[in-house]
Amino acid sequence: MGSGSKRQANFELLRVVAMLMIISLHYLVKGGIAVAFPFAAGENPAGAFAWLIEAFCIVAVNCYVLISGYFLAESAWKPGRVISLLLQVLFYSLLIPVFLLLTGTVSMADLSVYDWIGFAFPLGTEHYWFATAYIVMYLFAPFLAAGMEKMSRRELQIVLALLLVFFAVEKTILPVRLATDRSGYDFGWFLCLSVVAGYLRKYGIKWLEKQSHALAGYFVSCLWIWLSALLANGLAAGGRDTFAYYADMLYSYNHLLCLAGAVCLFHVFKNLRLKEGRFAVAVRRLAPYTFGIYLLHEHVLVRYEWMKRLGVEQVEGSFLFVPHMILCVLAVYAAGTAVDFVRARVFAGVKAAAGRGLR
């Protein structure tokens, strides 16, 4: 990662942790464990606790993007990386339906021409919204890096402040749903995060360099999200329906509290010093497969199916969801790693064969 030949284990560990959090988010929300607002928290304490876990995991996507932006700010841009990402996305978007057809899990009658268009053009159709936003961000990375390099600290602060007002501050404080707000599910927010990461790379935030401060900031930000959501939920459950929007809005990637929590957690790992050894080696080996884990379990034909197969509905409304979630998240992570390991070996073999053919 970055300019060195060896990836930094602390950032790679954050990448692994972030993916575990992302799988947890999908388990909780798409699995129906974190019940939709409003709900009677007293009648569903497990649901309220699920939203607490959600609050501490919601920073994961921002952290994942901050890692990339942090290194892209000062590293060479590689067009081959874009091609590699595109091929990796297509590998999953096209081969998963083929595999499911061959195994009889789905039939041709289940898939329309529009489904196949989505499989063949996953970026334009946002089959994977994260992949679309991430790759567009990567395409803009050299322009952002060049621009930030020429700007003074004051100029960068002004630009960053204006970007945050547009993407985060307005949606956080205004009591209306903004037409331009996509809750962070778009490349605009990822570009904003890239600028945040670039600023952190160049100038940092001195207060967060102390580990205890960064940990406290992460804890307070996430707890604040949960407590505010519970308050808004209580008001909505009491008949003030408008507050259901506020409860849900707090769990947006571009909410200021989510951004603050992500920046703090990023600093926790940024200043973490992992000793060289088996653990650091294992982290470096696991981290490159995290994107493949996302592409596998979030395919449109898989994203709800894996929860059914693992029996998520059996623990709805019960605190048994906690150990069940841990097992399911680890199972999905392990399966995704294994599949992407094979995918990486296939790609490496094809690349080597193509190289020999060009000699």
Side-chain angles (χ1 to χ4, degrees), residues 80-98:
R81 175 60 177 158
V82 179
I83 296 173
S84 177
L85 286 170
L86 287 171
L87 291 175
Q88 188 175 4
V89 173
L90 285 171
F91 176 88
Y92 284 95
S93 65
L94 285 171
L95 291 189
I96 285 177
V98 171

Side-chain angles (χ1 to χ4, degrees), residues 25-222:
L25 292 174
H26 296 155
Y27 175 99
L28 292 169
V29 175
K30 295 179 180 178
I33 302 297
V35 295
F37 296 112
F39 66 93
E43 298 175 7
N44 193 342
F49 186 68
W51 282 110
L52 175 61
I53 298 175
E54 182 91 0
F56 279 86
C57 291
I58 197 66
V59 302
V61 169
N62 287 348
C63 284
Y64 203 97
V65 178
L66 285 173
I67 295 170
S68 296
Y70 187 81
F71 288 98
L72 286 172
E74 293 188 5
S75 62
W77 187 82
K78 302 175 181 178
R81 175 60 177 158
V82 179
I83 296 173
S84 177
L85 286 170
L86 287 171
L87 291 175
Q88 188 175 4
V89 173
L90 285 171
F91 176 88
Y92 284 95
S93 65
L94 285 171
L95 291 189
I96 285 177
V98 171
F99 174 80
L100 294 178
L101 284 170
L102 292 175
T103 58
T105 307
V106 299
S107 66
M108 284 300 295
D110 296 324
L111 303 175
S112 69
V113 63
Y114 299 102
D115 291 321
W116 286 105
I117 290 174
F119 301 151
F121 300 95
L123 298 187
T125 59
E126 285 199 327
H127 181 146
Y128 299 106
W129 75 265
F130 178 90
T132 300
Y134 187 86
I135 291 176
V136 172
M137 178 201 74
Y138 194 89
L139 291 173
F140 275 93
F143 302 103
L144 293 177
M148 287 188 285
E149 182 62 30
K150 290 184 176 296
M151 297 173 73
S152 68
R153 182 172 185 171
R154 181 61 176 168
E155 289 171 333
L156 184 55
Q157 287 175 336
I158 292 173
V159 169
L160 181 55
L162 292 174
L163 284 171
L164 290 176
V165 167
F166 178 78
F167 283 105
V169 176
E170 288 185 340
K171 77 87 50 75
T172 300
I173 65 175
L174 294 179
V176 293
R177 189 185 298 273
L178 300 174
T180 55
D181 178 28
R182 294 195 62 192
S183 300
Y185 291 85
D186 63 337
F187 66 83
W189 175 241
F190 280 26
L191 292 176
C192 183
L193 286 174
S194 289
V195 178
V196 172
Y199 181 86
L200 294 177
R201 179 87 187 212
K202 289 174 69 68
Y203 304 111
I205 300 176
K206 187 176 180 180
W207 188 82
L208 291 177
E209 293 301 322
K210 191 172 182 179
Q211 198 80 333
S212 59
H213 290 174
L215 276 170
Y218 167 64
F219 182 82
V220 170
S221 298
C222 296

Side-chain angles (χ1 to χ4, degrees), residues 283-320:
V283 167
R284 290 193 185 98
R285 288 179 176 174
L286 285 173
Y289 305 118
T290 51
F291 189 50
I293 296 169
Y294 164 76
L295 295 173
L296 176 65
H297 88 277
E298 266 296 284
H299 191 282
V300 68
L301 298 179
V302 178
R303 63 179 57 151
Y304 292 103
E305 192 62 29
W306 68 265
M307 298 180 195
K308 294 177 183 177
R309 296 296 179 93
L310 295 176
V312 177
E313 71 283 351
Q314 297 175 14
V315 294
E316 288 182 12
S318 167
F319 280 100
L320 289 174

